[in-house]
Amino acid sequence: MVAVIKYNAGNVKSVMASLSRLGADAVLTDDRKTILEADHVVFPGVGEASSAMAYLKENGLSDTIKSIKKPFLGICLGMQLMARFSEEGPSECLSIVEGDVKRFPSGIGYKIPHMGWNTISFSPSCPLFKGIEQNAYVYFVHSYYLEKGPWSAADAEYDGVLFSAAIENGNFLGTQFHPEKSGDTGARILKNFLEWKP
């Protein structure tokens, strides 16, 4: 069973639909026991960091997430909340990785948010990218980014900023891009996650 964490964030329906197409038994839940007993956990989201973190803390989900031992995937805002700190709010986050989330600088000819298809360069050892070609295109929608660091499993560039497009720390994985909106490449990435047994 796949637990998709229900919290104060949007874009959950498309993630649920993608998991269903892959044959996953997925349940949308904020029940701590269900989350901890799941075989895989997905932490999706589109929204604002400080209000999302407030909801997680008020509902006891921040400690629950940090205690998960099963395969975990944060998507977009879900990945950013795995960082130490976000400038959006600003907000203290979950500190699953020690990096900070920053706002893209205003640049001539570039729009914020970064929205659309972009290539990624990834570590072949990351389980998410089995069978994926380097410089594959995936779909992004974000105004904030997680800086690069030892947690970076994939990189992308926008407006001259090189940032973490995916992260890995033990059983915790994350993607800044939306695999559920990234066509066949995204479907393969989600399939790789569902098959991963760290």
Side-chain angles (χ1 to χ4, degrees):
M1 187 265 289
V2 181
V4 179
I5 297 178
K6 178 182 177 182
Y7 69 113
N8 189 25
N11 200 47
V12 173
K13 287 184 179 179
S14 59
V15 172
M16 294 292 289
S18 294
L19 293 171
S20 178
R21 285 194 295 271
L22 291 169
D25 175 20
V27 57
L28 181 63
T29 181
D30 59 3
D31 179 72
R32 285 171 276 180
K33 185 173 185 289
T34 302
I35 292 168
L36 291 173
E37 291 179 351
D39 299 309
H40 291 75
V41 179
V42 177
F43 185 41
V46 172
E48 192 270 334
S50 61
S51 59
M53 277 304 305
Y55 183 93
L56 291 176
K57 290 176 181 176
E58 288 167 8
N59 291 273
L61 290 173
S62 56
D63 289 337
T64 299
I65 289 169
K66 289 187 281 188
S67 68
I68 289 170
K69 304 300 181 186
K70 301 291 180 63
F72 180 99
L73 177 64
I75 297 173
C76 194
L77 177 63
M79 187 192 95
Q80 292 183 1
L81 296 180
M82 295 162 66
R84 183 192 69 85
F85 175 83
S86 174
E87 290 183 353
E88 187 177 24
S91 180
E92 297 291 332
C93 298
L94 296 169
S95 291
I96 291 169
V97 299
E98 289 302 311
D100 291 346
V101 173
K102 302 176 180 180
R103 183 173 172 82
F104 280 113
S106 297
I108 298 174
Y110 291 90
K111 294 182 179 180
I112 300 172
H114 169 212
M115 182 166 61
W117 296 87
N118 202 345
T119 58
I120 55 171
S121 175
F122 57 82
S123 167
S125 65
C126 179
L128 291 177
F129 301 113
K130 180 181 178 182
I132 304 295
E133 292 187 3
Q134 286 287 354
N135 299 310
Y137 279 88
V138 290
Y139 191 80
F140 290 87
V141 183
H142 62 126
S143 300
Y144 293 79
Y145 67 92
L146 174 60
E147 61 189 349
K148 276 180 52 61
W151 49 82
S152 301
D155 303 331
E157 185 177 351
Y158 185 67
D159 198 5
V161 177
L162 193 64
F163 62 90
S164 293
I167 62 174
E168 179 178 8
N169 183 15
N171 63 302
F172 289 93
L173 302 173
T175 62
Q176 179 60 67
F177 58 89
H178 288 270
E180 77 280 6
K181 295 180 179 291
S182 296
D184 291 342
T185 296
R188 177 60 189 264
I189 287 169
L190 286 175
K191 184 174 184 289
N192 287 341
F193 171 68
L194 294 172
E195 294 175 348
W196 181 47
K197 296 179 181 179

